[in-house]
Amino acid sequence: SDVCSSDLLEIDEEGILLSQEVIQSSGSKDFDETAMIGVEELELKPLPEPLNDYASYKVNLRIQNYQ
């Protein structure tokens, strides 16, 4: 069966990851930790105008493996 977790990301207007938390665990500590490491390695672009007028934004990201 598929394994998935949901993470809440806070990203600033420049595309820098400010914080990350698991809001729904996959049930596997290893999977959750690997997913978080993968998110930290993402290169996010700055927000386009006029969205970059805000200090930061939050994204709910679902990470799932397929076998």
Side-chain angles (χ1 to χ4, degrees), residues 1-4 31 62-67:
S1 69
D2 296 334
V3 177
C4 67
F31 182 86
R62 180 179 170 159
I63 302 167
Q64 186 168 355
N65 83 330
Y66 293 94
Q67 295 181 352

Side-chain angles (χ1 to χ4, degrees), residues 5-64:
S5 67
S6 293
D7 291 2
L8 182 64
L9 314 178
E10 183 175 6
I11 303 165
D12 75 5
E13 69 278 4
E14 295 299 318
I16 297 170
L17 181 65
L18 300 175
S19 66
Q20 177 180 190
E21 68 176 291
V22 175
I23 56 175
Q24 182 178 3
S25 175
S26 66
S28 166
K29 182 179 176 185
D30 289 340
F31 182 86
D32 293 347
E33 289 177 358
T34 300
M36 290 183 77
I37 291 168
V39 168
E40 290 170 1
E41 294 176 0
L42 290 176
E43 292 184 21
L44 304 169
K45 294 182 179 182
L47 283 175
E49 296 280 347
L51 296 175
N52 64 5
D53 290 341
Y54 303 99
S56 65
Y57 59 102
K58 293 189 178 187
V59 176
N60 186 350
L61 179 66
R62 180 179 170 159
I63 302 167
Q64 186 168 355

